Amino acid sequence: GDPHKFEPGARELQAAKGALLYFVSGKGLEPYLPKLKSIVGVDRVVEVGKTLPTLKAEVLCDHGEHAHVHEEDDPHWWHSIACWRKAAHVVARELARVDPAHKAHYDAGARKVRQDLAELRRWAEQELSRVPAAHRTLATAHAAFAYFCNEYGWKMLPVQGLNREQVAAPKFVAEVAATIRKEKVLAVFPEKRSNPKMLKTVAEGVGVNVGDALVADGGASIEAMFRHNVNAIVAELGK
């Protein structure tokens, strides 16, 4: 399901009973961590993202009569292959800590993962280079791809994030249209498991294409997520 909304209940905790380690993403993704640590023990919960580079994200908070924007840690580090390569080291180190007899095995596994990810990054860079520099703006519904854009030197344009004051739809579409034209955006990309209706409305109003839905959270594997997203982006913008 949606990792932003998941919270382990009694069934999940029972299924994981006896686990020596609980790996979590960190960077604020799991608000239930204090509760989890109190149940299983602080030393058993490993925040993989804690030692990874952190980007900031602007978050719109609606308080009824008014809305305001403030900054929080962006939890979407899994869109950075560089972060994944560091994460492999973190996971291997923690596994070796609780199972030192198999340290060599974990280290070898981490090296293999890092090699595979390095190859994946070379492929992604080669594919993304097919997009003209003037069109390297990734327009999505939410600000979920900052790490991806930061890694490849792209601009990120979260369309719904432009509506900071939650203005009426016609005015909002007009503002988005102006921004999209300024940034020379060719297409906007919805996200899998999210309702694309608003984004399609904006795209129709501006006269740009709607690309294939990107994987923002989750996916069959790291490689599958990156290959799908890169292929979808290049298919629309590498023309």
Side-chain angles (χ1 to χ4, degrees):
D2 186 344
H4 294 274
K5 297 178 180 178
F6 172 77
E7 183 167 346
R11 183 172 64 180
E12 287 80 15
L13 290 172
Q14 183 62 32
K17 189 176 181 181
L20 294 178
L21 291 175
Y22 294 77
F23 289 103
V24 299
S25 189
K27 297 194 187 300
L29 179 68
E30 302 99 345
Y32 55 81
L33 285 191
K35 182 179 178 182
L36 179 64
K37 289 176 180 178
S38 70
I39 295 172
V40 304
V42 174
D43 60 334
R44 291 192 177 187
V45 179
V46 179
E47 294 184 55
V48 178
K50 195 170 186 178
T51 59
L52 304 181
T54 302
L55 297 180
K56 294 292 184 178
E58 291 186 342
V59 179
L60 179 68
C61 291
D62 184 4
H63 297 289
E65 295 182 359
H66 68 282
H68 73 276
V69 175
H70 67 96
E71 279 195 342
E72 290 183 359
D73 287 351
D74 185 345
H76 300 89
W77 63 261
W78 53 86
H79 288 297
S80 162
I81 292 178
C83 283
W84 274 115
R85 296 186 77 235
K86 290 184 174 74
H89 173 71
V90 173
V91 171
R93 182 189 66 207
E94 293 298 325
L95 289 171
R97 178 173 64 85
V98 299
D99 184 21
H102 296 96
K103 182 179 185 301
H105 171 72
Y106 300 130
D107 288 345
R111 283 195 298 272
K112 178 64 167 63
V113 169
R114 286 170 59 86
Q115 289 170 1
D116 291 346
L117 288 169
E119 292 179 9
L120 181 62
R121 182 170 181 176
R122 283 192 288 271
W123 170 84
E125 289 173 342
Q126 183 177 354
E127 290 299 304
L128 291 168
S129 69
R130 295 165 53 190
V131 178
H135 297 147
R136 292 177 188 175
T137 297
L138 186 61
T140 59
H142 304 98
F145 294 90
Y147 287 86
F148 181 92
C149 291
N150 181 68
E151 188 146 286
Y152 300 107
W154 282 46
K155 289 183 180 180
M156 182 182 67
L157 179 63
V159 172
Q160 287 182 219
L162 296 174
N163 194 4
R164 295 185 175 187
E165 299 176 1
Q166 296 180 321
V167 297
K171 183 180 178 182
F172 174 44
V173 172
E175 290 180 355
V176 172
T179 303
I180 284 178
R181 292 190 185 100
K182 178 183 175 184
E183 298 295 338
K184 300 178 181 178
V185 171
L186 298 182
V188 295
F189 296 88
E191 298 158 20
K192 288 185 180 293
R193 297 189 302 192
S194 295
N195 188 344
K197 184 177 179 181
M198 189 283 299
L199 206 62
K200 288 182 177 179
T201 300
V202 169
E204 290 174 0
V206 182
V208 298
N209 293 339
V210 177
D212 193 10
L214 303 181
V215 178
D217 305 312
S221 69
I222 303 170
E223 181 175 2
M225 177 184 72
F226 272 94
R227 288 191 179 275
H228 171 83
N229 288 347
V230 169
N231 285 332
I233 291 167
V234 173
E236 284 295 331
L237 305 182
K239 297 177 180 178

